[in-house]
Amino acid sequence: MSPEFPGITALARPNIRTMKPYSSARNEFKGTAQLMLDANENPFGSPDTGFNIAFNRYPDPLQWELKNQLSRIKGVPANHIFLGNGSDEIIDLMIRIFCEPGKDNILICTPTYGMYQVAAAISNVEVREVPLNASFQLDLDAIAIQTDSNSKLLILCSPNNPTGNSFYREDIEVVLNNFSGMVMMDEAYINYSRQHSFIRELTEYPNLVVMQTLSKAWGLAGLRIGMAFGALDLIELLNKVKPPYNISTVDQSLALRALQNPQTVNDWIQQVIRERNRMQTALEQFPWVEKVFPSDANFLLFRVSDAYHLYDYLIQQGIVVRNRSTDPGCSNCLRITIGSESENTRFLDVATSYQP
Ligand SMILES: *Cc1c(COP(=O)(O)O)cnc(C)c1O
């Protein structure tokens, strides 16, 4: 497919490789101080006294407490974890680290998550779209044909949004073995998947980075915490390029508290999977449903006779779903998020009265 992977640092843009990162007061000093007079902060506290956390100090730029807790949950050493202000920040940083604007390109396999294209467009980086095949699996030949020496990043979303399926593990391994740039696995929906995470393959593939988020199964979309797991060289580059205080004190401490409750999250995941199966079966019974695509995520993509007509009907009934009809390979397809049992029942009741 292409030459050997040159190594993470060699792959990075030369200006990123050689630049000196910003050194914040909180970077330079570690330990417990008696007098913090290094960061031009307000010594008195914060005027809002409703919280029992003080916000007058800058947050830990490297979020060690949160990373240590995530390390226990994910089985990855804390220094192999990077935290972004949502996955969206990590996508942006990856493009900016590796892709020279106007010269390099990234590969994505469409239909997929829209933010990859937006982030690349902001950085003036070319996006090569490689369509998935008819079963929404990777087209390995097409990926090889679209790859050239300026292809620095390939993003695989598995389970994929909006199709819901996971890619075949063997196909992903072929890509990891042959692509000479970075391969980023976006595992935002991994908690709902029958496939296990590629986290355990990190030591196997030097060009692999695995991205997850607290926004979906963990129920913390409002906190904006995305995670990247990868080699030390990669984490170092991400830390170099990120805004120094990219995760606020509040977000760090609330996420840390939420991570004490993994059992609640596991219960929710089980409920979603049960409801996903129920919704799949129920949708398949409607005569106007042509196909419900298999899902490893907390949503279902399904094809109907007239997606716009059904979408409008649902809106009239106060139910919002996502019309994906303009995505490649998704004509007349709607994407529905799996809600609570009563929400799904309400949807099915409304759908039962639908006149196509
Ligand atoms: C929802 C979603 C994310 C999460 O993004 P955050 O910025 O972490 O909230 C990432 N990737 C995909 C494919 C998603 O659907």
Side-chain angles (χ1 to χ4, degrees), residues 181-248:
M182 295 298 297
V183 177
M184 180 155 77
M185 297 282 308
D186 184 345
E187 296 188 338
Y189 299 99
I190 194 67
N191 306 78
Y192 305 104
S193 179
R194 283 157 274 229
Q195 283 248 12
H196 57 78
S197 166
F198 265 79
I199 274 185
R200 62 173 79 169
E201 259 65 63
L202 280 170
T203 48
E204 197 78 22
Y205 301 100
N207 56 343
L208 170 63
V209 48
V210 176
M211 187 168 70
Q212 295 183 2
T213 179
L214 297 184
S215 294
K216 303 285 154 66
W218 281 90
L220 300 171
L223 294 190
R224 311 305 306 126
I225 311 267
M227 304 167 270
F229 307 92
L232 293 180
D233 288 355
L234 178 74
I235 305 299
E236 195 180 310
L237 285 167
L238 286 163
N239 283 332
K240 196 174 177 183
V241 173
K242 82 180 179 81
Y245 303 111
N246 61 328
I247 315 246
S248 79

Side-chain angles (χ1 to χ4, degrees), residues 74-310:
K74 300 290 177 184
V76 178
N79 58 351
H80 285 260
I81 304 176
F82 174 83
L83 298 182
N85 199 277
S87 309
D88 293 343
E89 183 177 44
I90 299 175
I91 297 164
D92 175 60
L93 292 176
M94 286 295 292
I95 291 173
R96 285 198 282 148
I97 289 170
F98 293 105
C99 301
E100 206 63 69
K103 177 173 170 234
D104 292 330
N105 63 75
I106 70 166
L107 272 69
I108 61 172
C109 300
T110 52
T112 193
Y113 188 44
M115 271 311 289
Y116 312 140
Q117 253 165 334
V118 173
I122 291 169
S123 284
N124 188 27
V125 165
E126 181 197 347
V127 178
R128 298 195 173 170
E129 290 185 43
V130 185
L132 296 169
N133 68 22
S135 12
F136 293 140
Q137 289 294 330
L138 298 175
D139 183 340
L140 296 177
D141 293 333
I143 291 175
I145 289 166
Q146 291 271 26
T147 302
D148 64 20
S149 59
N150 292 319
S151 303
K152 298 294 170 71
L153 176 65
L154 191 157
I155 306 178
L156 299 178
C157 184
S158 184
N160 187 37
N161 180 5
T163 60
N165 62 302
S166 299
F167 300 141
Y168 298 135
R169 222 174 167 80
E170 314 78 69
D171 286 355
I172 296 170
E173 283 164 0
V174 169
V175 171
L176 284 164
N177 279 316
N178 290 285
F179 189 72
S180 56
M182 295 298 297
V183 177
M184 180 155 77
M185 297 282 308
D186 184 345
E187 296 188 338
Y189 299 99
I190 194 67
N191 306 78
Y192 305 104
S193 179
R194 283 157 274 229
Q195 283 248 12
H196 57 78
S197 166
F198 265 79
I199 274 185
R200 62 173 79 169
E201 259 65 63
L202 280 170
T203 48
E204 197 78 22
Y205 301 100
N207 56 343
L208 170 63
V209 48
V210 176
M211 187 168 70
Q212 295 183 2
T213 179
L214 297 184
S215 294
K216 303 285 154 66
W218 281 90
L220 300 171
L223 294 190
R224 311 305 306 126
I225 311 267
M227 304 167 270
F229 307 92
L232 293 180
D233 288 355
L234 178 74
I235 305 299
E236 195 180 310
L237 285 167
L238 286 163
N239 283 332
K240 196 174 177 183
V241 173
K242 82 180 179 81
Y245 303 111
N246 61 328
I247 315 246
S248 79
T249 306
V250 193
D251 294 341
Q252 290 187 44
S253 56
L254 293 184
L256 193 61
R257 271 179 24 169
L259 292 180
Q260 314 300 318
N261 271 324
Q263 197 44 56
T264 307
V265 175
N266 284 334
D267 291 346
W268 285 338
I269 293 166
Q270 293 318 311
Q271 278 185 58
V272 166
I273 292 172
R274 258 201 317 276
E275 284 296 297
R276 181 178 76 201
N277 293 337
R278 180 169 80 96
M279 286 281 276
Q280 164 114 27
T281 310
L283 278 169
E284 281 164 352
Q285 310 307 311
F286 294 120
W288 37 268
V289 170
E290 285 172 15
K291 186 171 174 63
V292 185
F293 293 94
S295 174
D296 260 349
N298 66 339
F299 56 84
L300 288 166
L301 186 77
F302 59 105
R303 176 167 286 130
V304 296
S305 40
D306 185 344
Y308 291 87
H309 189 257
L310 175 58

